[in-house]
């Protein structure tokens, strides 16, 4: 991908702050134009509402200047230099090349279903592809709300990689605590699988979205608005799913701006928070219970390293390698589920993810 910040700076008299809302919106708009080929009118219609009450005139002017130019093509896309260096060291040149291709491609639409029978029927009727139980992938879906079954609540939008952590929760776990839950795809998975779910998140607005989705799908969960670092449950649980806040670099296919926002300091701060959340939630797992940890990050500091540090400090937990849900998904030698940009690339790819299932000693 061309350097979006350099393009933005070439069209402004005074440099916009790196963390300004205007720069973030302009990055998104340019990624739509260069990476997805979105029509100019759609780009403007998408960008301007994001700065309502803010620098709308500035963004409109800069965006208009850039769209009138002949912008770079993506025949040879690149990620930000520091990201390519970081991922090259962690995963190798082949993964960097795969990430370049993924950021230039339009991601497919993944749907999670309440039952495998419903997913199979939908895939047959729509010509979609099922890559795992209760999953359907569509290449050109159009409006989500217009798809069959939306109003009746048989499915919800969820990247296939994001559905993996909930799949690692044991089927016989009765009560499950879903931490940092909203917007709630994993909570709906757990509820559809028959678990009694308590969903905790610090955002009232995001929990409202979860409540709406639960109502649409006819599923149920107890919702708790709380900061996990301050909140404490009254009992222990058979299983806990902690999808921790992170740099979100694994979502770069749909959100390329994260690659500019996720500086080393952000990654380090995220890893520190994840370690605190993991250590705190570990005490809430019943003996012989399960703790599933996940992040939508491609940074080892937020995945492999966090777990290595946790296990070194918590000898009463061990890694429990999962049984593969499909032949394309095999755990690493350490028992982790690590999703990299090269996985299922020919089928549209996946978001980057790290997931591990831990078991507490009896």
């Amino acid at each position: 991908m061309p350097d979006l910040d350099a393009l933005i700076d070439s069209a402004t008299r005074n440099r916009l702050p790196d963390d300004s809302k205007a720069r973030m919106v302009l990055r998104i708009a340019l990624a739509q134009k260069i990476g997805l080929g979105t029509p100019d009118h759609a780009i403007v219609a998408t960008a301007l509402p994001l700065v309502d009450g803010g620098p709308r005139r500035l963004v409109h002017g800069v965006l208009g200047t850039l769209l009138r130019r002949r912008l770079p093509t993506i025949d040879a896309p690149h990620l930000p230099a520091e990201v390519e260096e970081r991922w090259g060291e962690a995963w190798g040149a082949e993964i960097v090349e795969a990430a370049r291709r993924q950021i230039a491609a339009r991601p497919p639409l993944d749907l999670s279903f309440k039952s495998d029978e419903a997913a199979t029927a939908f895939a047959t009727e729509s010509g979609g592809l099922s890559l795992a139980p209760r999953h359907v992938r569509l290449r050109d879906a159009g409006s989500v709300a217009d798809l069959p079954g939306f109003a009746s609540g048989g499915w919800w939008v969820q990247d296939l990689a994001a559905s993996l952590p909930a799949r690692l929760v044991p089927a016989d776990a009765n009560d499950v605590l879903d931490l940092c839950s909203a917007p709630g795809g994993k909570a709906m998975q757990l509820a559809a699988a028959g678990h009694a779910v308590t969903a905790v998140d610090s955002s009232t607005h995001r929990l409202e979205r979860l409540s709406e989705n639960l109502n649409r799908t006819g599923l149920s969960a107890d919702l708790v608005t709380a900061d996990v670092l301050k909140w404490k449950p009254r009992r222990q649980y058979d299983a806990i799913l902690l999808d921790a806040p992170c740099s979100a670099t694994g979502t770069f296919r749909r959100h390329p701006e994260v690659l500019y926002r996720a500086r080393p300091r952000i990654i380090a701060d995220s890893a520190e928070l994840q370690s605190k959340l993991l250590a705190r939630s570990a005490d809430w797992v019943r003996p012989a219970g399960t703790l599933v940890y996940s992040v939508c990050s491609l940074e080892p500091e937020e995945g492999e390293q966090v777990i290595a540090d946790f296990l070194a400090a918590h000898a009463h937990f061990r890694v429990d390698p999962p049984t593969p849900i499909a032949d394309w998904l095999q755990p690493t030698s350490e028992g982790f589920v690590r999703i990299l940009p090269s996985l299922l690339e020919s089928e549209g790819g996946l978001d980057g993810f790290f997931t591990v299932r831990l078991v507490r000693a009896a």
Side-chain angles (χ1 to χ4, degrees), residues 40-281:
D40 290 0
H41 69 274
I43 294 172
V44 173
T46 301
L48 294 186
L50 298 177
V51 284
D52 279 345
R56 184 185 177 100
R57 181 176 297 179
L58 169 65
V59 169
H60 197 184
V62 174
L63 189 54
T65 298
L66 292 170
L67 292 178
R68 286 190 292 270
R69 294 180 182 175
R70 185 174 181 177
L71 294 173
T73 64
I74 55 169
D75 293 336
H78 285 268
L79 313 178
E82 64 179 30
V83 175
E84 292 203 351
E85 180 180 358
R86 194 167 71 230
W87 289 359
E89 292 179 358
W91 311 118
E94 290 185 4
I95 298 302
V96 172
E97 290 291 339
R100 289 176 176 176
R101 293 189 294 268
Q102 287 290 313
I103 202 171
R106 186 187 297 273
L109 180 72
D110 286 331
L111 305 179
S112 285
F113 285 75
K114 290 193 290 186
S115 72
D116 199 34
E117 293 78 12
T120 300
F122 187 97
T124 301
E125 295 170 4
S126 65
L129 174 67
S130 181
L131 295 167
R134 303 179 301 283
H135 165 265
V136 174
R137 170 164 289 186
L138 301 174
R139 288 286 192 171
D140 298 303
S143 171
V144 170
D146 292 336
L147 291 175
F150 174 81
S152 59
W155 51 262
W156 54 93
V157 176
Q158 185 180 33
D159 189 87
L160 178 55
S163 77
L164 299 178
R167 295 174 184 269
L168 268 60
V169 173
D172 60 356
N174 179 36
D175 50 347
V176 180
L177 183 61
D178 182 20
L179 299 176
C180 308
S181 177
K186 299 174 184 66
M188 289 187 287
Q189 283 181 272
L190 295 169
H195 304 291
V197 182
T198 300
V200 182
D201 198 275
S202 61
S203 171
T204 301
H205 174 68
R206 285 161 61 85
L207 280 178
E208 288 174 354
R209 286 179 56 194
L210 172 53
S211 179
E212 292 169 359
N213 281 323
L214 287 170
N215 290 333
R216 181 177 66 83
T217 56
L219 298 170
S220 63
D222 292 331
L223 307 186
V224 178
T225 304
D227 181 345
V228 175
L229 290 179
K230 299 177 182 178
W231 177 78
K232 183 178 180 180
R234 296 180 179 178
R235 57 188 174 87
Q236 293 179 313
Y237 289 80
D238 294 335
I240 293 178
L241 172 55
L242 171 61
D243 185 28
C246 67
S247 65
T249 53
T251 67
F252 71 94
R253 298 182 306 153
R254 295 181 178 87
H255 305 285
E257 73 279 4
V258 301
L259 300 184
Y260 294 86
R261 185 179 69 236
R263 307 290 187 183
R265 182 70 260 169
I266 296 294
I267 295 169
D269 289 345
S270 296
E272 182 178 356
L273 173 60
Q274 292 147 14
S275 295
K276 291 179 180 178
L277 291 169
L278 194 55
R280 183 166 176 80
S281 59

Side-chain angles (χ1 to χ4, degrees), residues 265-309:
R265 182 70 260 169
I266 296 294
I267 295 169
D269 289 345
S270 296
E272 182 178 356
L273 173 60
Q274 292 147 14
S275 295
K276 291 179 180 178
L277 291 169
L278 194 55
R280 183 166 176 80
S281 59
D283 291 336
W284 307 338
V285 181
R286 289 193 180 111
T290 299
L291 173 57
V292 175
Y293 169 81
S294 66
V295 284
C296 55
S297 169
L298 282 164
E299 315 304 326
E301 298 91 332
E302 298 181 84
E304 288 83 351
Q305 189 58 54
V306 165
I307 292 303
D309 293 344

